Amino acid sequence: MPPSTAVPGPAPGTRHQAPGTRLPPGPRLSALQRLVYWPGRNMLEFIRNNARTYGDLVTYRLGGELVFLVGDPNHIKDILVTHNRNFTKSRGLERTKRLLGNGLLTSEGATHLRQRRLMQPAFHRERIAGYGRTMAEYAERTRTRWSAGATLDVAQEMMRLTLSIAGKTLFDVDIERQAAEVGRAMNDVMESFWTSMLPFPDLLERMPIPRLRRARAARGQLDAIIYGMIAERRPASAEGSGVASPKPLRGEGGASGRDHGDLLSMLLSAQDDEAGDDAGRVMTDKQVRDEAMTILLAGHETTANALTWTWYLISQSPEVEARLHEEVDRVLQGRLPAVADLPALSFVEKIVTEAMRLYPPAWIVGRRAIDEYPIGEYVAPPRAIMIMSPWILHRDARYFPDPDRFHPDRWTPEFKATLPQFAYFPFGGGPRRCIGESFAWMELVLVVATIAQQWTLGLVPGHPVELQPVVTLRTKHGMKMTPARRG
Ligand code: HEM
């Protein structure tokens, strides 16, 4: 709990008031809007306009919830780091849980701590350095598949690529053949997320709405693929049984007896030394499935988004594009990039840093207060939802001069040193900070460098570039681009 401060009394003229508390200002919404939260493109405008009109702390009631829109980096740090124990993850999670079960992204408290401890080693810098080769090789496969002048949906291409990379590096399977199927299934599932924002999501879930029916079928498909991967490694287990293999598996990489050096091997062999009984020490198939699904979803969709926006921004700036080409040609001299090249590919890194500033894939991070929470001169009541949006902070002129301009050169070491800690936070912060951050940085730089060695991507004239803020910041109509072979 944060230190308790005096609770300010109600102030005359404040719109939302609860007994004994005074809430920050905010927009007045109609009764219907307050009950039914309808996500869509306008959500981005809605939150940005509110931040501009009312400042760093805004409240409104939406979808039956009291929401605090938090725009001060210090407050964000307090919520995500300093006082994180006073918060749980917020409501959208209920639907996420239907897909991801109790994986790292959705679990709370002791379960989360245990799972994080078990999975952390798979994401250590040294471990993921071994994945660099696969990342560049799969990007090379992608660039080889393309032909000059053909129209591509770069959003789909990047989705397919990052899914294949996640499949190979984390589960040692060549998912490329199934990528379209998995991609479609993920898409159906993601598009059904809006129902969690409506009242009675459980009831909705059972209704014969075609989109939801598709999402249920898609979930079944994804489950089949993942349980299939588990069964291959742990043949003794019954599909979906939720029963752990009785033997401790430390270091064996599953019943197939081989450590594939990937995440799945670690999940199958991980042991929680602090758990009392044998059965509780290893993960059940259900737990492994939940973690695998979590990583597959959290790990590929976000990175694909970041890459798609990166290609779009590069296509809009010939000067940035020319310097990108100069750097990859000079540093790589025609060979595929490797992990050792990363420090020299500093302009590529600045480009992706700037792309994630303008189009942060995780555009909001939400938390729900457990106990009353003093924030600034106000007090958030228990259950209030705190919304912290990289989309807003990253385009705030106080931190980023000329904020809407794509300007990779702003990321000098001096600029970074003076930037407040949570003015830029594409990967969140605190104990729930993205576990795949180093993985993502490496993948982003290696993929951009590999593709830029050979191709220039031009936006198809007239293609509508529209934002679709679902769980991640997607493009509504994909990203139609034409590759041109470089000199
Ligand atoms: C550009 C790419 C990525 C972005 C922008 C991103 C962003 C984020 C953010 C903001 C969170 C914190 C959410 C919160 O606090 O509520 C998060 C958590 C997480 N991310 Fe990522 N992520 C990316 C890539 C990845 C990759 C590549 C993986 C795995 C291979 C991954 C796995 C996870 C997991 C498992 C969590 C939950 C961590 C926990 O709660 O302990 N992410 N990510």
Side-chain angles (χ1 to χ4, degrees):
M1 253 306 285
S4 189
T5 57
V7 178
T14 306
R15 288 198 195 109
H16 307 289
Q17 285 178 4
T21 60
R22 183 167 68 89
L23 297 177
R28 193 188 284 279
L29 300 174
S30 71
L32 189 64
Q33 281 173 316
R34 287 163 66 148
L35 186 67
V36 182
Y37 165 97
W38 190 259
R41 180 167 51 93
N42 291 344
M43 198 60 196
L44 293 170
E45 274 162 43
F46 177 78
I47 57 175
R48 201 173 179 200
N49 287 343
N50 280 323
R52 281 183 174 153
T53 310
Y54 301 102
D56 282 344
L57 263 183
V58 183
T59 30
Y60 47 88
R61 284 185 191 275
L62 206 57
E65 302 280 6
L66 176 63
V67 178
F68 278 63
L69 184 61
V70 182
D72 178 330
N74 291 319
H75 288 154
I76 294 176
K77 182 177 176 190
D78 283 345
I79 294 166
L80 293 181
V81 187
T82 323
H83 304 307
N84 75 80
R85 282 165 182 267
N86 190 43
F87 297 93
T88 60
K89 298 195 81 170
S90 60
R91 186 176 168 202
L93 271 194
E94 280 136 37
R95 171 148 210 113
T96 321
K97 272 194 168 177
R98 271 192 209 111
L99 171 67
L100 301 181
N102 215 13
L104 198 58
L105 198 66
T106 47
S107 56
E108 302 272 9
T111 310
H112 173 259
L113 269 179
R114 171 186 187 255
Q115 294 302 99
R116 182 111 191 175
R117 210 172 46 236
L118 290 177
M119 288 171 69
Q120 197 79 55
F123 291 95
H124 278 161
R125 216 174 270 274
E126 312 79 68
R127 178 110 189 175
I128 62 165
Y131 303 152
R133 202 188 160 94
T134 307
M135 291 170 176
E137 280 174 7
Y138 273 62
E140 188 191 22
R141 269 198 208 180
T142 300
R143 77 178 188 193
T144 310
R145 216 178 40 234
W146 291 354
S147 44
T151 299
L152 293 172
D153 183 347
V154 168
Q156 260 176 28
E157 289 292 311
M158 293 300 112
M159 212 65 99
R160 179 172 169 183
L161 173 58
T162 56
L163 188 60
S164 307
I165 291 175
K168 184 68 190 166
T169 53
L170 303 170
F171 307 109
D172 196 20
V173 290
D174 201 333
I175 226 170
E176 181 132 42
R177 280 171 289 118
Q178 289 164 310
E181 191 189 333
V182 176
R184 224 178 0 256
M186 291 267 181
N187 208 36
D188 288 342
V189 172
M190 298 289 267
E191 283 190 351
S192 68
F193 267 92
W194 54 271
T195 53
S196 63
M197 306 297 179
L198 298 173
F200 318 117
D202 288 318
L203 194 66
L204 271 173
E205 173 76 4
R206 288 195 292 273
M207 288 174 65
I209 300 169
R211 222 194 245 189
L212 294 185
R213 226 177 11 219
R214 272 207 312 275
R216 276 193 300 272
R219 228 160 40 217
Q221 246 174 318
L222 293 174
D223 267 352
I225 292 171
I226 291 183
Y227 277 124
M229 287 178 347
I230 296 171
E232 225 169 80
R233 303 277 184 94
R234 191 148 73 181
S237 66
E239 184 175 305
S241 68
V243 178
S245 179
K247 271 187 161 172
L249 296 165
R250 186 201 288 272
E252 291 176 9
S256 65
R258 188 159 72 85
D259 183 351
H260 292 239
D262 59 11
L263 179 79
L264 191 55
S265 298
M266 294 190 79
L267 293 179
L268 289 168
S269 64
Q271 280 196 41
D272 184 9
D273 292 333
E274 285 170 31
D277 54 294
D278 260 9
R281 288 174 117 195
V282 290
M283 289 192 212
T284 61
D285 280 4
K286 170 75 171 68
Q287 280 167 325
V288 174
R289 173 262 177 220
D290 290 353
E291 293 302 357
M293 187 77 99
T294 297
I295 295 295
L296 215 52
L297 184 80
H300 96 281
E301 158 92 19
T302 39
T303 317
N305 266 244
L307 287 166
T308 303
W309 289 113
T310 301
W311 293 119
Y312 164 70
L313 288 164
I314 294 171
S315 77
Q316 302 305 296
S317 175
E319 189 242 320
V320 168
E321 186 176 66
R323 287 182 48 209
L324 163 67
H325 292 162
E326 186 282 321
E327 182 173 275
V328 295
D329 292 351
R330 174 172 44 78
V331 172
L332 303 172
Q333 304 285 326
R335 57 182 172 76
L336 274 189
V339 174
D341 296 312
L342 292 176
L345 293 168
S346 59
F347 192 60
V348 182
E349 188 184 312
K350 284 182 181 164
I351 290 175
V352 292
T353 308
E354 181 72 344
M356 282 196 287
R357 181 182 73 78
L358 285 169
Y359 297 101
W363 58 283
I364 49 171
V365 175
R367 293 290 186 271
R368 190 191 282 285
I370 298 170
D371 285 324
E372 204 171 67
Y373 183 72
I375 178 163
E377 55 182 301
Y378 303 99
V379 177
R383 295 190 57 75
I385 289 193
M386 306 286 160
I387 295 285
M388 296 149 281
S389 172
W391 167 258
I392 295 177
L393 272 287
H394 292 187
R395 288 178 184 250
D396 189 324
R398 286 173 295 179
Y399 313 118
F400 302 97
D402 202 358
D404 292 334
R405 179 174 164 221
F406 176 53
H407 182 41
D409 279 324
R410 73 173 81 234
W411 292 98
T412 60
E414 301 74 43
F415 176 73
K416 286 202 236 176
T418 55
L419 194 63
Q421 200 186 352
F422 278 84
Y424 182 76
F425 63 119
F427 293 96
R432 314 275 329 214
R433 188 183 180 98
C434 179
I435 200 170
E437 178 173 351
S438 307
F439 184 108
W441 279 114
M442 200 166 104
E443 182 173 4
L444 292 168
V445 174
L446 292 176
V447 167
V448 171
T450 307
I451 288 176
Q453 279 184 304
Q454 219 161 65
W455 297 105
T456 294
L457 288 166
L459 190 66
V460 167
H463 176 74
V465 177
E466 214 179 296
L467 291 154
Q468 189 185 31
V470 275
V471 181
T472 56
L473 196 53
R474 289 178 157 203
T475 51
K476 186 158 187 198
H477 310 284
M479 190 66 78
K480 293 271 158 60
M481 302 185 97
T482 313
R485 202 175 282 280
R486 291 189 45 218

